[in-house]
Amino acid sequence: MTLRVGLVGTGAIGRTHIDRINNHLQGARVVACSDINIQFGKSVADKYGLRFFKNGKDMIADEGIDAVVVTTLDPDHEPYVLSAIAAGKYVFCEKPLAPEAEACKRIVDAEISGGKMLVQVGFMRRFDPGYRQLKKLIEDRTYGEPLMLHCAHRNFSSGDNYDTPMEVENSMIHEIDVLRWLLNEDYATAEVVFPKKTKYASAILQDPQIMMLTTKSGVRIDVEAFINCHYGYDIKCEVCCEEGIISLPEPSNAMVRTKAARIIPICTDWSERFVDAYNIEFQEWINACAAGRVDGPNAWDGYAAQVTAKAASRARDTQTIVSITLDDCPTFYQK
Ligand code: ISE
């Protein structure tokens, strides 16, 4: 049976997911969409041959929709995710689950009250084949206990609206989630320090930033965010264990010899760097919906990431080390 998907929020990422589901993956079809910008949403519906709904909540409740994808602006995620929970439908929500921890918690509470896990959050790095290799080696303790992680999150450049809090809450929230998943433990403290500012950062942006996290067992993590690095999109993760260092594989690109140099091109943005991760993420989501499960990052993971990101933001604003308090994971979410 083909899963009939309704997508709310037809911006750039929403459109790539429509294309991905309808043209590259199996077992599902986006059959309807909705957008608060009605004219634009209708044009997307026409382009992809979808039903258009003026009201996203009506689309979610419609009996012709089995599952929902939410790709609206971040502050609008919560009402649509809650509608999907109320309708008892699986819902994939792009990261972050919501921009405030309290909103994430309301989603968690609604899901627990509904009695069925339905929500998956779009932390696509967990599906990247390179990170999955790291996860296996760490879980098997192939090289002993992980002790320290050194990571980097570098974007070529940022848009005009990208400001200081976004380095943690929009960009490094990926590391917050994927490292928590890799190490299988929560964080204890966060700190954010500012290196010298690049001339390419706008007045509203302190760039680069270094976020330091410690996990409950004492693993020390540093993540460099450099959002105007001006050379490419580059993601690094080095896990230092007792008997070896494990590094995230670089994307494979052909090496070119030219002008007395050997060059291996680097990706220019995240959609290119993580294309395989996105495809695997959605194929596994479709398969899990068909099997009646949520296998990927769930609403609790979305909440835990946002609690940590907010603590890191407080640490940055106060230039102090902030303790992170997170309740124990409810049994409902324990896998
Ligand atoms: C963007 O919103 C993303 O989610 C990308 O994956 C990330 O690398 C980028 O820094 C963010 O701005």
Side-chain angles (χ1 to χ4, degrees):
M1 196 197 86
T2 302
L3 189 78
R4 297 165 304 172
V5 175
L7 177 139
V8 51
T10 56
I13 186 109
R15 298 197 301 281
T16 65
H17 292 337
I18 296 173
D19 177 58
R20 180 182 327 282
I21 293 171
N22 287 7
N23 300 323
H24 301 282
L25 305 179
Q26 278 90 48
R29 252 204 110 62
V30 180
V31 294
C33 69
S34 177
D35 197 292
I36 46 165
N37 182 335
I38 293 180
Q39 209 185 345
F40 183 74
K42 272 187 177 157
S43 74
V44 173
D46 288 347
K47 177 170 174 203
Y48 291 95
L50 316 177
R51 283 171 73 193
F52 181 75
F53 286 77
K54 284 188 187 154
N55 184 323
K57 292 185 179 176
D58 291 343
M59 180 188 76
I60 292 168
D62 193 272
E63 58 181 21
I65 297 299
D66 305 313
V68 179
V69 172
V70 178
T71 46
T72 59
L73 294 177
D74 300 352
D76 299 331
H77 288 179
E78 181 189 0
Y80 294 119
V81 173
L82 290 176
S83 298
I85 294 172
K89 295 183 182 175
Y90 287 104
V91 52
F92 177 100
C93 178
E94 257 310 333
K95 56 68 66 169
L97 179 57
E100 301 300 332
E102 295 72 24
C104 296
K105 187 63 172 32
R106 286 194 287 273
I107 291 173
V108 162
D109 291 342
E111 196 177 35
I112 294 177
S113 303
K116 187 171 180 204
M117 244 218 267
L118 294 168
V119 181
Q120 178 165 326
V121 185
F123 285 125
M124 79 297 188
R125 290 198 193 179
R126 293 190 186 200
F127 302 86
D128 174 71
Y131 275 112
R132 285 188 161 183
Q133 284 180 45
L134 261 53
K135 170 94 172 148
K136 173 94 179 63
L137 294 169
I138 294 171
E139 264 179 6
D140 294 350
R141 295 295 190 264
T142 314
Y143 302 101
E145 285 291 313
L147 309 172
M148 303 173 277
L149 277 75
H150 308 298
C151 308
H153 185 142
R154 303 192 186 123
N155 291 47
F156 190 96
S157 62
S158 58
D160 294 344
N161 298 329
Y162 192 100
D163 62 7
T164 297
M166 289 177 79
E167 288 215 2
V168 169
E169 296 179 23
N170 180 273
S171 295
M172 286 190 284
I173 196 165
H174 280 292
E175 274 79 13
I176 289 173
D177 176 70
V178 81
L179 304 182
R180 174 176 170 269
W181 169 77
L182 277 182
L183 297 170
N184 196 24
E185 58 171 331
D186 285 318
Y187 300 109
T189 65
E191 186 184 1
V192 176
V193 296
F194 297 145
K196 184 170 173 178
K197 180 172 169 173
T198 166
K199 67 179 179 199
Y200 294 110
S202 70
I204 58 166
L205 175 63
Q206 183 69 40
D207 181 44
Q209 299 180 20
I210 300 173
M211 175 176 71
M212 262 99 64
L213 298 168
T214 47
T215 66
K216 287 194 165 164
S217 77
V219 179
R220 196 79 161 87
I221 298 167
D222 51 89
V223 185
E224 167 210 307
F226 188 10
I227 302 302
N228 289 274
C229 76
H230 274 247
Y231 74 87
Y233 182 77
D234 207 6
I235 300 299
K236 299 197 171 295
C237 179
E238 191 180 69
V239 185
C240 303
C241 302
E242 291 166 308
E243 288 134 29
I245 313 287
I246 317 167
S247 296
L248 183 69
E250 297 275 342
S252 56
N253 276 318
M255 187 175 77
V256 183
R257 287 177 160 79
T258 182
K259 296 180 184 158
R262 287 181 303 196
I263 296 169
I264 303 174
I266 289 176
C267 298
T268 50
D269 76 5
W270 44 272
S271 57
E272 183 192 2
R273 167 66 179 82
F274 286 111
V275 67
D276 292 343
Y278 279 115
N279 286 337
I280 296 169
E281 173 186 47
F282 269 94
Q283 189 61 64
E284 291 190 6
W285 177 68
I286 294 165
N287 299 349
C289 291
R293 292 194 312 262
V294 174
D295 289 340
N298 58 39
W300 182 260
D301 296 319
Y303 170 60
Q306 197 55 267
V307 167
T308 308
K310 291 297 177 191
S313 273
R314 273 199 309 283
R316 179 199 59 239
D317 293 343
T318 55
Q319 288 294 289
T320 57
I321 300 174
V322 168
S323 299
I324 300 169
T325 2
L326 182 69
D327 295 340
D328 288 338
C329 178
T331 43
F332 183 83
Y333 290 105
Q334 284 169 21
K335 291 175 187 158

